[in-house]
Amino acid sequence: MIKLFGGNEWLELKFWTFPGGERNVRIINTEKIIKFRSFTIECIFKGSDDIIDILLLVNAIRNINKNTNLRLRIPYFPFARQDRVMVPGEPLALQVMVSIINSCKFDEVEVWDPHSDVLTGMFDPGTLKV
């Protein structure tokens, strides 16, 4: 579940899936993205669709206001337990997820359970808050 908080309120979002399986999002009150300067995206991770939803939401916010401060609160960081390659041919899934999150250029990422120091070492200094 993904929620957006700004200006002391939760903003209304609409998420849906197109018939071809693609996800989409709409910020209902776009004027609040212009009015407020700082937002927190909260993600209670339920599955891989949430990753795409975060990317789409960040893009929608930045299309309205490029100078918005964005913070991600994601208590359980997806793929944190896949913090090393155990068998040749498998991905370093944590590195993939961190790259995706870093591409959003969040001002801060808050994680409650990093699982290991590998996660903390993958973020730029000062970005990750545990």
Side-chain angles (χ1 to χ4, degrees):
M1 175 173 48
I2 296 176
K3 300 189 300 186
L4 180 63
F5 185 80
N8 293 322
E9 64 181 280
W10 294 102
L11 280 68
E12 186 178 356
L13 304 172
K14 180 181 177 188
F15 293 94
W16 70 94
T17 304
F18 287 109
E22 305 93 339
R23 299 285 297 158
N24 205 1
V25 62
R26 180 174 299 133
I27 302 165
I28 302 303
N29 299 71
T30 56
E31 70 277 357
K32 292 182 180 182
I33 302 300
I34 297 167
K35 180 179 177 182
F36 305 132
R37 307 292 286 153
S38 184
F39 296 91
T40 297
I41 297 172
E42 183 174 278
C43 176
I44 306 302
F45 185 76
K46 300 288 184 193
S48 295
D49 279 352
D50 288 342
I51 298 165
I52 295 299
D53 289 349
I54 289 170
L55 296 172
L56 293 171
L57 180 56
V58 167
N59 183 267
I61 292 167
R62 295 240 162 93
N63 281 338
I64 296 168
N65 186 349
K66 292 178 188 173
N67 299 319
T68 300
N69 293 322
L70 286 179
R71 179 175 184 262
L72 175 65
R73 180 183 303 132
I74 186 162
Y76 164 74
F77 197 88
F79 304 100
R81 288 172 179 78
Q82 297 175 17
D83 61 358
R84 64 199 80 226
V85 176
M86 299 298 290
V87 178
E90 290 184 351
L92 177 50
L94 177 60
Q95 185 179 45
V96 173
M97 186 62 196
V98 170
S99 294
I100 290 169
I101 296 300
N102 279 338
S103 75
C104 294
K105 302 197 183 314
F106 286 106
D107 296 288
E108 182 179 281
V109 176
E110 179 183 335
V111 176
W112 297 354
D113 178 12
H115 181 68
S116 75
D117 291 340
V118 175
L119 173 65
T120 58
M122 289 184 172
F123 280 93
D124 291 335
T127 303
L128 187 67
K129 178 182 174 189
V130 178

